[in-house]
Amino acid sequence: MFSKILIANRGEIACRVAATARRLGVRTVAVCSDVDAHAKHVALCDEVVNLGGAAPKDSYLKWQAIIDAARATGAQAVHPGYGFLSENEAFADACTQAGLVFIGPPSSAILAMGLKAESKQLMEKAGVPLVPGYHGSNQDPVLLKAEAERIGYPVLIKASAGGGGKGMRAVDKAEDFEAALASCKREAINSFGSDAVLIEKYVQRPRHIEIQVFCDTHGNGVYLFERDCSVQRRHQKVLEEAPAPGLSPEMRQQMGLAAVAAARAVNYVGAGTVEFIVEQRDDPSAAPGRPKQASTPSGGSEPHEVGSVGGNKPVMNFFFMEMNTRLQVEHPVTEAITGLDLVEWQLRVASGEPLPLKQDELRMHGHAIEARICAENPDKQFLPATGTLRVYRKPDASAFTHGAVRVDDGVRPGDTISPYYDSMIAKLIVHGDTREQALARLDVALAQTHIVGVANNVQFLRHVVRSPSFAQAQLDTALIPREAAVLFKQEPLGLALAAAAAVSQTLHDEAQQAGSDPFSRRDGWRSHGEFVRRFAFVFGGETVQAQLRYAHDGALALTVGEGETAVTGPLVWRVTGAGLEVAFNGQRTELRVDWQGETAHVFAAQGATQIVEIDLLAHAGEAASEGGRLTAPMPGKVVSFAVKAGDSVKKGQALAVLEAMKMEHTIAAPGDGQVAELLYAPGDQVAEGAELIKLTPA
Ligand code: ADP
Ligand code: ADP
Ligand code: MG
């Protein structure tokens, strides 16, 4: 075993690797950028080397500086984590040449699996089933379109060098092909430096099921079962679980053997993931002549007929998609069902030890689910968000059965989610004896995850977990769009409770302030001997009035809203250990309120919501702000403008493309008008709120 390693990454994965290293008595060297100088991963390591500026190219991607840091600190090996340099074969080579062990596969395996098109050619030779498609080197657009016709629409255009869900375009019909190809190529050249694409049949009702493989330097290779990562948005994973619901033991074994065959074909070493796309068909007769048992698939028959299992409904066919030659974000799901530490396995294999277990010694226990908690706004097409974690409370893992709840993160309260890196805040991993139990624990653990200061998907994840499709394990990559009606713009607590919570917290805060007397406030008055106080809220985009009456005996009565929809009743609140207990309108709820300026973030077991309390005294006479400016919704880079000065535009027309946090965002016209001026040029870096285009309304 090594005595010291350098972790060439940041965030939760750097923390994750450091934790295992510490447990094994291996010393750790962190690297960081200027903005990460005081990050959690730095605090968890024994030493740190600052690499430079915030942008990855000025720090985490500076591989010569990383190798120099490893040598200067006496590290024997480099763990690349995921992302950044983890799948960079030149970096892996440079480590080896500098006398350092790269904790990952040989560079030849990274290279072989690095390009989707080339790796598919290799897998075809190894007899691994492929999605019908074109993965040749001829990139003539006319030929590509002809191939799409041959494959049959809908098709998926993929950047061969792509990753992280980027550089993919689904095309439904021939008329859309050219435009989709152009936009795919543009994203591909910008993100990956190559615009080579491949074309695949767009699989219907697809499930993403991947196999964790592990190989050592002694010729051993095993699979550590599967993970179902079908719940996705923008082709990126949202929830991952193991085992995959409905996967038969036979199909698990076939996929496992195919994955090990794929790894062996490139002389793989270490942890890797072979991603398969699984087609689900209801009618077993739809594909006649399919072999019932296909063990390790070997060439011969039609690729899409290899590796399918009939008998059980629905029929599932699996096809190789790509191999990720690194530890995966969702590896904790596999750790939860196998009871193993995959980072420990990585370190053992990299230091030359054989795999700790053989295939027939590996077992699965229970069910595990991971939820990715991200800084993003699900109600605005998952637009990534930045900000400071003013409140960041996690579920108390010790309050659950041992190992049932795990939180992996790289941030602490007060840390900032910056625009420089990806938007993942934390991973929540739950385990249960059954899927049902894991689901129930996930729901409770999400309810106990409180974040204020950064837009996030916690509430959205709860809606997904409770959606009929997810609860019943009807998984496929269209789950989120299919369940849209119950996932987006949902209000779990309701106006009455939210207002009651905000009022109660306000009263509590006032009681804490010595000398504050509610009866002397200028927003109150006396009526029939009672003291009445006025509140105004903004909730769900609507302004709402509320009145609080203080009776002689001190009892409170609250009215929320006006006219027929008004809700009136006694308000009772008291302080509990974790927050407040509020009784109003027939509900008694334990909740917690965190203020961010005038916004009350209300967290309760049923869900979380926000309500803005307008300070009537401070806001008297303030003018409404003017809207309609075309500004950057987040810090990022201007990719392109679709218009020029003088152009007339229609409402909703795409004006510009902005790239930030691994995603492209289209800026659309808020109304009809004429472009007066473009205020930036493509390639410019812009701050959040920067005005991009001057538009004269029609
Ligand atoms: P996983 O493959 O484990 O699901 P994701 O694909 O969601 O993880 O995100 C992590 C991976 O995304 C990284 O390992 C890397 O391969 C890829 N990735 C990270 N950053 C980028 C980026 N800026 N552009 C394209 N791909 C990226
Ligand atoms: P990346 O390198 O970005 O992870 P993948 O090739 O692994 O790209 O594909 C990412 C996701 O896109 C898959 O998990 C799946 O949801 C979807 N996808 C990929 N290929 C297909 C296909 N042929 N048909 C339908 N969906 C697909
Ligand atoms: Mg993938």
Side-chain angles (χ1 to χ4, degrees), residues 597-660:
E598 298 183 327
T599 304
H601 292 256
V602 184
F603 298 100
Q606 309 94 293
T609 196
Q610 291 164 31
I611 183 166
V612 179
E613 185 177 329
I614 302 170
D615 185 336
L616 291 169
L617 303 179
H619 283 274
E622 197 174 275
S625 69
E626 30 77 86
R629 287 183 352 132
L630 280 163
T631 55
M634 73 191 76
K637 191 176 84 179
V638 178
V639 176
S640 62
F641 284 103
V643 291
K644 56 183 184 325
D647 284 0
S648 292
V649 297
K650 291 251 167 274
K651 180 178 172 153
Q653 184 178 335
L655 303 180
V657 177
L658 189 72
E659 190 202 282

Side-chain angles (χ1 to χ4, degrees), residues 68-86:
D68 292 346
R71 300 192 57 166
T73 54
Q76 298 145 314
V78 175
H79 195 302
Y82 54 72
F84 296 127
L85 297 168
S86 61

Side-chain angles (χ1 to χ4, degrees), residues 321-639:
M321 212 161 28
E322 64 167 346
M323 180 169 186
N324 294 326
T325 54
R326 54 174 158 88
L327 190 68
Q328 201 99 345
V329 172
E330 57 274 20
H331 75 277
V333 159
T334 301
E335 297 186 322
I337 59 155
T338 58
L340 301 170
D341 179 336
L342 297 195
V343 175
E344 177 179 344
W345 277 42
Q346 284 191 299
L347 296 180
R348 292 198 181 284
V349 165
S351 60
E353 294 179 31
L355 291 179
L357 295 172
K358 300 201 165 32
Q359 190 66 56
D360 59 14
E361 295 169 326
L362 288 161
R363 298 275 180 278
M364 303 193 290
H365 304 280
H367 200 95
I369 311 178
E370 174 182 278
R372 297 193 188 193
I373 297 173
C374 295
E376 65 185 19
N377 193 331
D379 289 340
K380 289 188 184 153
Q381 285 89 46
F382 301 98
L383 194 70
T386 58
T388 298
L389 294 166
R390 303 207 177 278
V391 174
Y392 175 46
R393 282 189 289 268
K394 307 187 254 190
D396 176 12
S398 68
F400 294 85
T401 306
H402 179 72
V405 171
R406 161 176 169 185
V407 181
D408 279 20
D409 62 14
V411 289
R412 298 154 302 196
D415 283 353
T416 297
I417 306 297
S418 78
Y420 303 107
Y421 313 112
D422 73 74
S423 61
M424 199 162 71
I425 301 171
K427 307 189 298 201
L428 185 56
I429 305 103
V430 295
H431 184 261
D433 293 336
T434 59
R435 185 174 192 269
E436 205 182 355
Q437 190 180 48
L439 256 163
R441 285 185 170 146
L442 181 56
D443 193 48
V444 172
L446 283 168
Q448 296 173 358
T449 305
H450 300 175
I451 297 172
V452 173
V454 187
N456 63 82
N457 64 343
V458 172
Q459 193 55 48
F460 171 79
L461 288 168
R462 291 196 74 193
H463 296 319
V464 178
V465 168
R466 294 164 162 210
S467 69
S469 293
F470 193 75
Q472 293 157 26
Q474 271 151 22
L475 305 176
D476 62 78
T477 61
L479 187 145
I480 288 178
R482 180 169 69 242
E483 293 281 12
V486 296
L487 299 185
F488 298 101
K489 304 196 167 99
Q490 290 302 311
E491 176 35 60
L493 294 185
L495 167 65
L497 185 56
V503 168
S504 302
Q505 187 68 41
T506 300
L507 299 178
H508 175 56
D509 295 345
E510 288 173 358
Q512 298 291 96
Q513 288 164 22
S516 168
D517 169 17
F519 303 101
S520 67
R521 291 183 59 95
R522 284 193 291 126
D523 54 356
W525 71 92
R526 298 227 169 239
S527 154
H528 307 295
E530 287 181 335
F531 182 74
V532 185
R533 201 166 149 192
R534 221 152 52 84
F535 290 86
F537 298 105
V538 178
F539 186 77
E542 307 273 322
T543 305
V544 187
Q545 310 293 332
Q547 287 189 8
L548 182 69
R549 288 170 187 277
Y550 295 72
H552 300 295
D553 60 358
L556 301 173
L558 181 66
T559 301
V560 181
E562 289 158 306
E564 296 201 338
T565 56
V567 175
T568 298
L571 172 69
V572 180
W573 63 273
R574 66 179 186 94
V575 178
T576 64
L580 300 178
E581 187 189 78
V582 174
F584 179 62
N585 193 30
Q587 289 188 73
R588 177 181 296 275
T589 309
E590 272 218 58
L591 44 80
R592 186 147 191 159
V593 179
D594 293 283
W595 292 106
Q596 187 188 21
E598 298 183 327
T599 304
H601 292 256
V602 184
F603 298 100
Q606 309 94 293
T609 196
Q610 291 164 31
I611 183 166
V612 179
E613 185 177 329
I614 302 170
D615 185 336
L616 291 169
L617 303 179
H619 283 274
E622 197 174 275
S625 69
E626 30 77 86
R629 287 183 352 132
L630 280 163
T631 55
M634 73 191 76
K637 191 176 84 179
V638 178
V639 176

Side-chain angles (χ1 to χ4, degrees), residues 31-175:
V31 292
C32 71
S33 65
D34 293 336
V35 291
D36 278 345
H38 303 288
K40 181 174 174 182
H41 80 274
V42 173
L44 289 184
C45 290
D46 299 308
E47 294 168 59
V48 59
V49 176
N50 187 322
L51 297 169
K57 68 170 178 22
D58 299 325
S59 47
Y60 297 104
L61 293 176
K62 272 168 67 181
W63 46 276
Q64 193 53 55
I66 292 172
I67 288 171
D68 292 346
R71 300 192 57 166
T73 54
Q76 298 145 314
V78 175
H79 195 302
Y82 54 72
F84 296 127
L85 297 168
S86 61
E87 293 176 284
N88 184 320
E89 72 278 0
F91 177 67
D93 259 342
C95 286
T96 312
Q97 270 158 28
L100 299 163
V101 175
F102 176 78
I103 303 173
S107 64
S108 54
I110 302 177
L111 183 65
M113 289 296 188
L115 293 174
K116 294 185 200 287
E118 279 76 356
S119 69
K120 284 187 173 151
Q121 292 164 14
L122 250 167
M123 291 301 109
E124 200 161 32
K125 286 205 195 83
V128 179
L130 296 184
V131 189
Y134 171 78
H135 34 79
S137 53
N138 189 334
Q139 295 284 309
D140 175 11
V142 179
L143 174 107
L144 292 176
K145 190 171 179 185
E147 285 293 333
E149 299 279 352
R150 180 184 62 79
I151 297 161
Y153 290 96
V155 298
L156 193 61
I157 310 177
K158 278 190 193 177
S160 183
K166 276 188 91 168
M168 271 191 277
R169 294 291 182 281
V171 192
D172 289 332
K173 48 187 194 307
E175 300 92 277

Side-chain angles (χ1 to χ4, degrees), residues 116 156 158 163-165 200-201 203 208 232 235 275 277 322:
K116 294 185 200 287
L156 193 61
K158 278 190 193 177
E200 273 179 12
K201 174 97 197 135
V203 175
H208 174 123
Q232 303 182 346
H235 300 301
E275 296 188 332
I277 189 145
E322 64 167 346

